[in-house]
Amino acid sequence: MIAIVDYGMGNIASASNAFRTLGYDVVVTDDPEQLNDASHIILPGVGAFKAAIEEIEKRGLRPVLQDLARKKPFLGICLGMQLLFETGFENGVSKGLGFIPGTVELIQTGEILPHIGWNTLDVKAGFPSFKPFQNKHVYFVHSYQAKTSAPYIVATTDYGAEIPAVVRNRNVYGMQFHPEKSGKVGMALLKTFLQESSLEVQA
Protein backbone atom coordinates (compact mmCIF):
# COMPACT_ATOMS: atom_id res chain seq x y z
CA MET A 1 0.00 0.00 0.00
CA ILE A 2 1.19 3.49 -0.90
CA ALA A 3 0.46 6.33 1.53
CA ILE A 4 -0.01 9.88 0.29
CA VAL A 5 0.61 12.35 3.09
CA ASP A 6 -2.41 14.58 3.68
CA TYR A 7 -1.41 17.93 5.17
CA GLY A 8 -3.99 20.01 3.33
CA MET A 9 -1.75 21.31 0.51
CA GLY A 10 -1.33 18.46 -1.92
CA ASN A 11 -2.28 17.47 -5.44
CA ILE A 12 -3.87 14.47 -3.77
CA ALA A 13 -6.50 13.35 -6.29
CA SER A 14 -4.20 13.23 -9.31
CA ALA A 15 -1.35 11.63 -7.34
CA SER A 16 -3.71 8.97 -5.94
CA ASN A 17 -5.07 8.21 -9.41
CA ALA A 18 -1.58 7.83 -10.85
CA PHE A 19 -0.53 5.17 -8.33
CA ARG A 20 -3.89 3.38 -8.59
CA THR A 21 -3.38 3.27 -12.37
CA LEU A 22 -0.05 1.56 -11.70
CA GLY A 23 -1.94 -1.10 -9.75
CA TYR A 24 -1.27 -0.06 -6.16
CA ASP A 25 -3.61 0.34 -3.23
CA VAL A 26 -3.49 3.96 -2.03
CA VAL A 27 -4.42 5.62 1.25
CA VAL A 28 -4.51 9.40 1.77
CA THR A 29 -3.79 10.09 5.42
CA ASP A 30 -2.03 12.09 8.12
CA ASP A 31 -2.40 9.24 10.63
CA PRO A 32 1.03 8.03 11.84
CA GLU A 33 -0.10 4.41 12.14
CA GLN A 34 -1.42 4.28 8.59
CA LEU A 35 1.71 6.00 7.29
CA ASN A 36 3.88 3.48 9.12
CA ASP A 37 1.95 0.56 7.62
CA ALA A 38 2.56 1.76 4.05
CA SER A 39 5.26 0.40 1.76
CA HIS A 40 6.01 3.81 0.15
CA ILE A 41 5.45 7.40 1.29
CA ILE A 42 4.44 10.16 -1.15
CA LEU A 43 4.65 13.81 -0.07
CA PRO A 44 2.72 15.92 -2.61
CA GLY A 45 2.47 19.69 -2.54
CA VAL A 46 0.95 22.73 -4.18
CA GLY A 47 1.48 26.21 -2.74
CA ALA A 48 4.15 27.99 -0.71
CA PHE A 49 6.99 26.45 1.30
CA LYS A 50 6.33 28.38 4.53
CA ALA A 51 2.60 27.59 4.64
CA ALA A 52 3.27 23.91 3.91
CA ILE A 53 5.83 23.55 6.71
CA GLU A 54 3.44 25.30 9.10
CA GLU A 55 0.72 22.78 8.24
CA ILE A 56 3.11 19.87 8.71
CA GLU A 57 4.13 21.26 12.12
CA LYS A 58 0.49 21.90 13.11
CA ARG A 59 -0.37 18.25 12.47
CA GLY A 60 2.71 16.99 14.34
CA LEU A 61 4.02 15.34 11.18
CA ARG A 62 7.66 16.49 11.19
CA PRO A 63 9.01 13.72 13.50
CA VAL A 64 6.73 11.16 11.82
CA LEU A 65 8.05 12.02 8.35
CA GLN A 66 11.65 12.11 9.58
CA ASP A 67 11.27 8.59 10.96
CA LEU A 68 9.59 7.31 7.78
CA ALA A 69 12.30 8.80 5.54
CA ARG A 70 14.90 6.74 7.37
CA LYS A 71 13.25 3.41 6.61
CA LYS A 72 10.82 3.61 3.67
CA PRO A 73 10.90 4.64 0.01
CA PHE A 74 9.92 8.33 0.06
CA LEU A 75 8.99 10.67 -2.82
CA GLY A 76 8.36 14.41 -2.71
CA ILE A 77 6.45 15.88 -5.67
CA CYS A 78 6.68 19.56 -6.72
CA LEU A 79 6.41 21.56 -3.46
CA GLY A 80 6.77 18.21 -1.70
CA MET A 81 10.24 17.88 -3.25
CA GLN A 82 11.20 21.36 -2.03
CA LEU A 83 10.17 20.46 1.53
CA LEU A 84 12.80 17.69 1.52
CA PHE A 85 15.57 20.31 1.78
CA GLU A 86 17.00 22.07 4.84
CA THR A 87 15.81 25.65 4.36
CA GLY A 88 13.23 27.45 2.23
CA PHE A 89 13.19 31.17 1.41
CA GLU A 90 9.63 31.57 0.10
CA ASN A 91 7.63 34.10 2.16
CA GLY A 92 10.45 34.30 4.70
CA VAL A 93 12.94 31.74 6.00
CA SER A 94 11.56 28.34 7.01
CA LYS A 95 13.19 25.15 8.24
CA GLY A 96 12.53 22.29 5.85
CA LEU A 97 12.50 18.57 6.61
CA GLY A 98 16.25 18.27 6.04
CA PHE A 99 16.30 14.94 4.20
CA ILE A 100 18.56 16.35 1.45
CA PRO A 101 21.25 19.00 2.03
CA GLY A 102 20.46 22.33 0.38
CA THR A 103 18.10 25.27 0.17
CA VAL A 104 15.05 26.31 -1.87
CA GLU A 105 15.35 29.75 -3.50
CA LEU A 106 13.64 31.88 -6.16
CA ILE A 107 14.71 30.84 -9.67
CA GLN A 108 17.25 33.34 -10.98
CA THR A 109 16.32 33.55 -14.65
CA GLY A 110 15.47 36.03 -17.36
CA GLU A 111 12.41 33.92 -18.20
CA ILE A 112 8.90 34.65 -16.92
CA LEU A 113 8.00 33.17 -13.52
CA PRO A 114 6.36 30.96 -12.60
CA HIS A 115 7.92 28.33 -14.80
CA ILE A 116 4.81 26.66 -16.23
CA GLY A 117 4.73 24.04 -18.95
CA TRP A 118 6.60 21.18 -20.56
CA ASN A 119 10.36 21.03 -20.38
CA THR A 120 13.03 18.39 -21.02
CA LEU A 121 15.14 16.41 -18.57
CA ASP A 122 18.93 16.23 -18.64
CA VAL A 123 19.90 13.07 -16.77
CA LYS A 124 23.29 13.15 -15.06
CA ALA A 125 25.95 10.43 -15.20
CA GLY A 126 25.74 7.75 -12.56
CA PHE A 127 21.97 7.18 -12.69
CA PRO A 128 21.54 4.49 -15.38
CA SER A 129 17.94 3.65 -14.49
CA PHE A 130 16.95 7.24 -15.31
CA LYS A 131 18.87 7.40 -18.61
CA PRO A 132 15.78 6.41 -20.67
CA PHE A 133 14.30 9.77 -19.63
CA GLN A 134 17.04 11.85 -21.24
CA ASN A 135 15.42 14.70 -23.22
CA LYS A 136 11.92 13.53 -22.29
CA HIS A 137 9.29 16.20 -21.58
CA VAL A 138 7.63 16.59 -18.17
CA TYR A 139 5.26 19.21 -16.79
CA PHE A 140 6.46 21.95 -14.40
CA VAL A 141 4.67 24.60 -12.31
CA HIS A 142 6.99 26.48 -9.90
CA SER A 143 8.87 29.70 -9.14
CA TYR A 144 11.37 28.31 -6.61
CA GLN A 145 14.12 25.75 -7.10
CA ALA A 146 16.39 23.54 -5.07
CA LYS A 147 20.04 24.50 -4.60
CA THR A 148 22.04 21.43 -3.76
CA SER A 149 25.32 19.74 -4.61
CA ALA A 150 25.89 17.46 -7.60
CA PRO A 151 25.78 14.06 -5.82
CA TYR A 152 22.09 14.59 -5.00
CA ILE A 153 21.02 15.69 -8.50
CA VAL A 154 19.68 12.93 -10.77
CA ALA A 155 18.39 15.22 -13.54
CA THR A 156 18.04 18.92 -14.31
CA THR A 157 15.98 21.09 -16.64
CA ASP A 158 16.89 24.39 -18.29
CA TYR A 159 14.73 27.49 -17.83
CA GLY A 160 17.32 30.19 -18.31
CA ALA A 161 18.98 28.55 -15.30
CA GLU A 162 19.88 24.96 -14.48
CA ILE A 163 17.14 23.65 -12.18
CA PRO A 164 17.28 20.32 -10.33
CA ALA A 165 14.33 18.31 -11.63
CA VAL A 166 14.96 14.94 -9.96
CA VAL A 167 16.92 14.63 -6.71
CA ARG A 168 17.85 11.71 -4.49
CA ASN A 169 19.46 10.92 -1.17
CA ARG A 170 19.44 7.13 -0.80
CA ASN A 171 15.76 6.09 -0.53
CA VAL A 172 14.43 9.68 -0.53
CA TYR A 173 13.59 11.03 -4.00
CA GLY A 174 12.13 14.29 -5.22
CA MET A 175 10.58 15.38 -8.54
CA GLN A 176 10.18 19.13 -9.10
CA PHE A 177 7.71 18.55 -11.93
CA HIS A 178 4.33 16.77 -11.74
CA PRO A 179 4.85 13.16 -12.87
CA GLU A 180 1.13 12.52 -12.43
CA LYS A 181 0.45 15.21 -15.07
CA SER A 182 3.28 14.18 -17.41
CA GLY A 183 1.59 11.40 -19.36
CA LYS A 184 3.35 8.11 -20.10
CA VAL A 185 6.75 9.58 -19.24
CA GLY A 186 5.52 10.60 -15.81
CA MET A 187 4.04 7.19 -15.13
CA ALA A 188 7.29 5.52 -16.17
CA LEU A 189 9.20 7.84 -13.82
CA LEU A 190 6.93 6.85 -10.93
CA LYS A 191 7.60 3.17 -11.74
CA THR A 192 11.33 3.84 -11.71
CA PHE A 193 11.05 5.54 -8.31
CA LEU A 194 9.09 2.59 -6.90
CA GLN A 195 11.72 0.12 -8.10
CA GLU A 196 14.88 2.08 -7.32
CA SER A 197 13.88 3.40 -3.90
CA SER A 198 12.86 -0.06 -2.75
CA LEU A 199 16.32 -1.32 -3.69
CA GLU A 200 17.89 1.51 -1.69
CA VAL A 201 15.93 0.54 1.42
CA GLN A 202 16.98 -3.10 1.08
CA ALA A 203 20.68 -2.22 0.60
Side-chain angles (χ1 to χ4, degrees):
M1 181 183 68
I2 289 175
I4 297 178
V5 182
D6 181 11
Y7 62 102
M9 293 186 65
N11 45 315
I12 284 169
S14 55
S16 299
N17 289 338
F19 286 103
R20 288 193 180 103
T21 299
L22 291 173
Y24 288 83
D25 292 328
V26 176
V27 62
V28 177
T29 184
D30 64 356
D31 179 73
E33 285 189 19
Q34 283 190 306
L35 291 169
N36 203 53
D37 286 342
S39 60
H40 297 72
I41 306 297
I42 312 300
L43 183 66
V46 175
F49 191 107
K50 185 179 181 64
I53 284 294
E54 286 174 353
E55 281 297 321
I56 285 170
E57 296 282 11
K58 203 179 292 181
R59 296 173 189 234
L61 285 171
R62 182 187 288 272
V64 175
L65 296 177
Q66 288 173 332
D67 179 57
L68 292 168
R70 283 191 286 268
K71 61 188 182 185
K72 292 182 184 288
F74 198 111
L75 173 65
I77 295 175
C78 196
L79 175 61
M81 168 184 141
Q82 296 177 0
L83 299 176
L84 303 177
F85 290 89
E86 296 167 306
T87 308
F89 291 92
E90 186 175 8
N91 298 338
V93 181
S94 305
K95 182 182 177 184
L97 295 172
F99 303 159
I100 302 176
T103 59
V104 175
E105 305 175 22
L106 187 68
I107 301 170
Q108 299 300 311
T109 178
E111 304 292 339
I112 294 170
L113 293 177
H115 170 207
I116 300 177
W118 296 85
N119 215 336
T120 55
L121 296 175
D122 180 16
V123 179
K124 304 306 177 185
F127 301 99
S129 59
F130 284 87
K131 265 300 172 190
F133 303 107
Q134 178 68 18
N135 295 324
K136 298 295 185 185
H137 286 81
V138 290
Y139 188 77
F140 291 85
V141 183
H142 65 123
S143 295
Y144 283 73
Q145 70 164 89
K147 295 276 193 177
T148 189
S149 55
Y152 304 106
I153 300 173
V154 176
T156 60
T157 195
D158 185 352
Y159 190 66
E162 188 178 56
I163 297 170
V166 182
V167 294
R168 189 194 89 181
N169 186 8
R170 293 193 67 253
N171 56 295
V172 176
Y173 287 66
M175 297 181 187
Q176 178 61 73
F177 50 90
H178 286 280
E180 78 284 4
K181 296 179 181 177
S182 297
K184 290 181 180 178
V185 171
M187 298 298 279
L189 279 157
L190 290 178
K191 278 187 188 176
T192 300
F193 154 71
L194 292 167
Q195 294 162 358
E196 289 297 301
S197 59
S198 297
L199 292 173
E200 287 289 341
V201 170
Q202 292 164 17

